[in-house]
Amino acid sequence: MHVGACTIFEGPAPEHEELIEAIVSRLHLVPRYRQRLAYVPFEQGRPVWVDDPHFNPRYHVRDTALPKPGGEDELKRLAARVFSQALDRAKPLWELWLVEGLKDDRFALLSKTHHALVDGISGVDIATVLFDAAPDPMPIAQPEQEWVPQPPPSDSQLLADALLERATVPGEIVRGVRATLRGPRNIVGRVGEGLVGVGAMAWAGLNPAPASPFNVRIGPHRRFTWVRGELATFKAVKDATGGTVNDVVLTVVAGALGRYMRLHGHPTDDVVLKAMVPISIRADVDRGALGNQLSAMWAPLPVGMTDPIQRLLLIRHEMQSIKDSGQAVGAQVLTSLSGFAPPTIVAQAARLQSRQRFFNVVVTNVPGPQFPLYMLGRELEAVFPLVPLAKNTALGVALMSYNGQLNFGLTADFDALPDVEMLAEELESSIEEIAAAASVPDRRSQRPKAGAVGTSE
């Protein structure tokens, strides 16, 4: 359940110790990166974040190198192996891998951060503490005092705190309800909107997604590949046809999935797959804060529609209906309520959800900075994001915009999708198709086509 990215930089790789020193000098800006989880005895409460008294940055910041010829195919295979490895739950839940040996005078950085630590939009803000907006950055203000870890709580203290929370939370709920009922009528109206949204989201989730080759039992190993895109192409299609950039993204993904299914002999006539689209419910004032504040909407993917414009118009209409139904409001209400559920009930609900086919594929689109970033004076060339796979879901599609690019990262189960590079090629074709149908130029520069997928052994 870690999110991550493969980032490529121009120039020679920094020394390992130089990178560690740079990261340590900024860790005070993200204090949770020096914290680990402490588990409440007998599962009587949610795990809590505590300082790691044995924190060692050299465990988390690692270095490796690519075999010759050091191309992007080799980088994809390495990234897949790194992303396949679970994070150690007894330590702070992140890793950075410095990758040397990438040809054309470049190097890469692989990042892994557990989903519990950040959500997509907040994660972008946190990542910027490692990057600079100029090759020669301004000095970083140092902490007033050296970091000293707080002693971890004992098991008895963790249990006592959890039982105290369980005893006091119902009172907080009652007080919150009373405050709401005493408030103006527009507050009560918002509560009604929330209940409508919960119903809309529940109805969307309880309608099972159709069977597909992307919904099978998965294992622990992964494949990882990517497709480069230009944000200007997607914006031009959006301007020519209406809707949003995300509507265009879903149209392109649906086109690629349909092409892939037909190539493998799967019928697609009248088939509408369901995409789980994560949405951030983090308020603007909370951007950059640590913690997970994500929920989801269910988006249609009409893979049987071969006309890209008709497919886009249908997706645009359906997405607007989903927004009007209040699914996003319902998601926020449900996320708030989950904080009050006993951990054992939440765990059982998660296991139940993993056994249902609520969606076929995850598609997440994270906005990034539209200006160059630098690390230790080296310019960031490209970002390829990674999304974790849910149970019985063999494919995840993540996108991130950066400095005019809109790049796709495709994560796949190693055994279920051995030819995910074919899907990447169909994704390239789907981008070209929608641009041509909308009579806009495909503004991608001359870049190599998607190559062989990374593998995990």
Side-chain angles (χ1 to χ4, degrees), residues 6 60 66 88 97-98 100 135 160-161 171 189 226 232 261 288 292 297 321 329 335-336:
C6 176
H60 298 272
L66 296 175
D88 187 346
W97 290 68
L98 176 64
E100 302 181 56
D161 290 344
W226 55 71
M261 291 173 66
N292 189 314
M297 292 193 300
S321 298
V329 177
T335 301
S336 300

Side-chain angles (χ1 to χ4, degrees), residues 119-368:
D119 63 47
I121 293 179
S122 180
V124 173
D125 293 342
I126 292 168
T128 59
V129 304
L130 302 177
F131 300 112
D132 304 302
D136 299 315
M138 296 291 290
I140 299 294
Q142 294 303 301
E144 296 180 357
Q145 57 186 14
E146 184 179 357
W147 178 75
V148 177
Q150 296 295 317
S154 64
D155 286 351
S156 58
Q157 183 180 349
L158 288 169
L159 182 59
D161 290 344
L163 295 177
L164 178 63
E165 179 188 27
R166 182 174 297 183
T168 56
V169 162
E172 295 297 328
I173 297 176
V174 172
R175 281 189 287 273
V177 170
R178 288 175 178 172
T180 300
L181 294 178
R182 288 195 301 266
R185 290 185 177 181
N186 64 337
I187 295 180
V188 177
R190 285 200 295 271
V191 172
E193 292 174 5
L195 294 176
V196 171
V198 169
M201 188 175 181
W203 177 254
L206 290 176
N207 284 302
S212 84
F214 312 109
N215 301 108
V216 295
R217 180 185 292 273
I218 65 172
H221 305 298
R222 299 289 174 263
R223 298 178 186 265
F224 185 64
T225 189
W226 55 71
V227 172
R228 287 178 165 87
E230 291 293 328
L231 183 58
T233 300
F234 288 80
K235 286 185 173 180
V237 173
K238 179 262 296 183
D239 293 340
T241 60
T244 67
V245 168
N246 209 47
D247 294 339
V248 182
V249 165
L250 292 173
T251 301
V252 166
V253 171
L257 296 180
R259 288 166 171 264
Y260 178 87
M261 291 173 66
R262 288 187 290 274
L263 285 173
H264 287 76
H266 297 283
T268 60
D269 291 345
D270 300 321
V271 174
V272 180
L273 301 184
K274 293 177 69 174
M276 193 271 276
V277 180
I279 55 174
S280 177
I281 56 174
R282 184 184 301 278
D284 288 342
V285 295
D286 294 330
R287 285 177 64 88
L290 289 161
N292 189 314
Q293 296 189 28
L294 273 184
S295 194
M297 292 193 300
W298 316 110
L301 298 177
V303 295
M305 297 189 70
T306 56
D307 185 315
I309 298 300
Q310 293 301 316
R311 188 166 64 243
L312 173 58
L313 294 177
L314 176 62
I315 288 176
R316 186 182 73 184
H317 173 76
E318 292 296 324
M319 290 303 293
Q320 187 59 52
S321 298
I322 288 171
K323 294 170 186 175
D324 293 341
S325 74
Q327 271 196 40
V329 177
Q332 185 169 4
V333 172
L334 290 175
T335 301
S336 300
L337 291 177
S338 68
F340 297 119
T344 50
I345 297 178
V346 172
Q348 291 298 327
R351 294 188 185 101
L352 175 64
Q353 179 177 358
S354 70
R355 286 164 171 76
Q356 304 302 313
R357 196 169 65 242
F358 292 143
F359 60 90
N360 300 104
V361 62
V362 175
V363 181
T364 178
N365 187 2
V366 179

Side-chain angles (χ1 to χ4, degrees), residues 31-69:
R32 189 159 290 168
Y33 276 46
R34 288 188 285 211
Q35 292 183 318
R36 62 173 178 84
L37 289 174
Y39 295 90
V40 178
F42 312 115
E43 297 185 352
Q44 292 302 300
R46 291 179 294 275
V48 297
W49 296 104
V50 299
D51 289 346
D52 182 5
H54 307 293
F55 175 75
N56 185 342
R58 285 168 179 78
Y59 172 84
H60 298 272
V61 184
R62 308 176 180 188
D63 61 340
T64 187
L66 296 175
K68 292 181 179 180

Side-chain angles (χ1 to χ4, degrees), residues 73-94:
D73 290 350
E74 288 75 26
L75 179 58
K76 291 172 184 178
R77 294 190 185 98
L78 173 64
R81 294 189 183 107
V82 169
F83 292 149
S84 296
Q85 301 165 10
L87 292 163
D88 187 346
R89 300 299 192 267
K91 297 181 181 296
L93 297 173
W94 64 278

